Amino acid sequence: MLGLLALAELLGMGGWLAGGALAGELSRLWSLTPGQVGWLTSIVQLGFVVGTLAAAVLNLPDLVPSRRFFAVNATLAAIANALLLVWPSYRVALLTRFFVGLFLAGVYPPAMKMAATWFRHGRGFAIGVVIGALTIGKASPYLVEALGGLGVEAVIGTTAAGTLLAALLVAVGYRDGPLAFPRRPFSWRLVGEVLRVPEMRLATAGYLGHMWELYAFWASVALFWSASLTRSSGGAAPRTVAALTFVSIAIGVVGCVAGGRLADLRGRERVVLGSLAVSGLSALASPLVFGGPTALVLALMLVWGVAVIADSAQFSAIVTEVAPPHAVGTALTLQTSLGFLLTTATLQLVPVMAASWGPRWAFPVLSLGPAAGIVAIRRLRRIRGLAVPAT
């Protein structure tokens, strides 16, 4: 079941960053401004926020069977993604990207709940595997672009087909495990019930710090690579930039899986604190390597790419442990909704800073998120009765 869910997430989330992978081509094709290019990714985030908020308020993840919820939403996301091939224009792209995000709200959070029904002691590892697969899936459009510069039809077509296949896999092959969470009748008060749990509030605050950084890094690392290579060697081939961007994002699977295993052995909060510290320091170090040897820049991007996502699964695992059992789906969906709402700010902030101060200085501001997250998670450790490290 874990392998099936991981494969479904890898296939299903490919459409998320398709707009970013095609930014250069679409910008030339439609004569877009930098701000318009940024909206190709930001609008997906907004769609996801709307979808997750609606799902949380309506208790859908705790009322609708997970298999059905996932399969229907993945199918609709694939259709929305593919519609850009039928009506190719910037306005249609914004509309279809919004609905891709809206329907992927029924693909990402439910998968974490589904994995949790099969694991108790290894839950951090299991959710880490799911999010690791998701990380590769979100990086996959850059791989398609790097392999042949295949353009809009190939990137959109392959990611839409992958999401449709993910729907089929879950519809046919998935079933809940022996630790399935109990259901309860619909209640408008369920969101409030979740937020009244102090541990839930602190876990969400830490997650917000993590999300301040994560998607801005993923969405802007291609810009950083392009500018850095241009400075060091006088030019940056699009396929080279796409390949380096894919590696910088996809390497996160190592952090997800290793972080999950370590969290089950040493404690979730410990892994979260370490990941936030390393990723925050990486953001601060990015100007120091900008324009330097490719190997040096790649080394930092690989460390950052591992650390920036290694803690993500553990925020979700914590929620499955501290939220009321009958509201785990709603709690996960609410947490992700608030986190993705915050990403819309940094997704716009980083390109503006890059345009104003230059790409070299675009990333240090992202370190503010990990710093805030560390404060929240240290408080969470105290509440849960765990020792806080001296560092």
Side-chain angles (χ1 to χ4, degrees):
M1 285 300 110
L2 180 59
L4 183 147
L5 286 172
L7 180 58
E9 284 295 292
L10 188 154
L11 294 169
M13 302 304 290
W16 195 296
L17 294 181
L22 294 170
E25 182 170 346
L26 295 180
S27 180
R28 292 188 296 270
L29 183 63
W30 296 332
S31 301
L32 303 180
T33 66
Q36 289 175 315
V37 171
W39 274 107
L40 290 173
T41 299
S42 295
I43 199 69
V44 182
Q45 312 291 110
L46 286 175
F48 186 86
V49 168
V50 171
T52 48
L53 277 178
V57 170
L58 297 175
N59 309 167
L60 294 180
D62 293 307
L63 295 176
V64 181
S66 297
R67 179 175 64 178
R68 185 183 309 165
F69 194 54
F70 184 111
V72 169
N73 278 282
T75 300
L76 293 173
I79 293 171
N81 195 14
L83 284 176
L84 183 59
L85 300 178
V86 181
W87 297 292
S89 72
Y90 180 66
R91 289 185 177 181
V92 171
L94 290 181
L95 184 64
T96 58
R97 306 296 305 149
F98 174 85
F99 279 104
V100 166
L102 181 77
F103 294 125
L104 287 180
V107 173
Y108 172 21
M112 295 184 289
K113 178 185 176 184
M114 293 154 76
T117 68
W118 285 93
F119 294 85
R120 177 177 288 117
H121 302 297
R123 186 169 291 178
F125 170 75
I127 298 179
V129 168
V130 170
I131 294 184
L134 173 152
T135 300
I136 298 177
K138 289 188 176 182
S140 62
Y142 291 102
L143 178 61
V144 173
E145 189 72 7
L147 289 176
L150 300 176
V152 176
E153 291 79 8
V155 172
I156 297 298
T158 54
T159 54
T163 307
L164 191 61
L165 181 56
L168 182 62
L169 282 172
V170 170
V172 173
Y174 176 77
R175 68 184 186 279
D176 279 336
L179 304 174
F181 297 99
R183 296 179 187 172
R184 61 171 286 175
F186 169 77
S187 172
W188 289 112
R189 295 189 295 272
L190 196 57
V191 170
E193 185 178 339
V194 165
L195 291 177
R196 281 194 293 272
V197 179
E199 295 91 336
M200 178 67 194
R201 294 198 300 271
L202 287 171
T204 300
Y207 181 72
L208 292 177
H210 157 75
M211 292 297 282
W212 171 268
E213 176 190 28
L214 176 62
Y215 275 83
F217 169 73
W218 279 357
S220 301
V221 68
L223 171 66
F224 187 88
W225 268 117
S226 180
S228 182
L229 290 173
T230 298
R231 177 167 179 171
S232 63
S233 57
R239 289 176 63 178
T240 300
V241 171
L244 290 169
T245 301
F246 170 77
V247 172
S248 300
I249 297 173
I251 191 66
V253 67
V254 175
C256 290
V257 176
R261 179 63 74 189
L262 186 61
D264 288 331
L265 296 174
R266 303 292 302 278
R268 311 204 190 289
E269 290 85 354
R270 187 184 297 273
V271 169
V272 168
L273 289 170
S275 298
L276 289 171
V278 172
S279 60
L281 290 172
S282 297
L284 292 174
S286 60
L288 303 179
V289 303
F290 180 85
T294 301
L296 178 62
V297 180
L298 180 60
L300 178 66
M301 291 299 111
L302 293 179
V303 170
W304 196 359
V306 169
V308 77
I309 189 65
D311 50 354
S312 189
Q314 303 321 308
F315 289 111
S316 302
I318 290 170
V319 167
T320 67
E321 295 169 348
V322 303
H326 60 270
V328 165
T330 295
L332 285 168
T333 304
L334 180 64
Q335 183 194 57
T336 55
S337 180
L338 295 174
F340 279 87
L341 179 61
L342 183 63
T343 65
T344 60
T346 49
L347 281 171
Q348 297 299 317
L349 178 62
V350 169
V352 169
M353 296 190 69
S356 300
W357 298 353
R360 180 174 193 168
W361 302 101
F363 280 151
V365 70
L366 297 182
S367 64
L368 295 175
I374 287 172
V375 172
I377 298 305
R378 285 175 67 89
R379 292 179 179 174
L380 177 64
R381 283 176 65 90
R382 293 189 182 100
I383 289 179
R384 300 188 81 187
L386 302 173
V388 179
T391 55

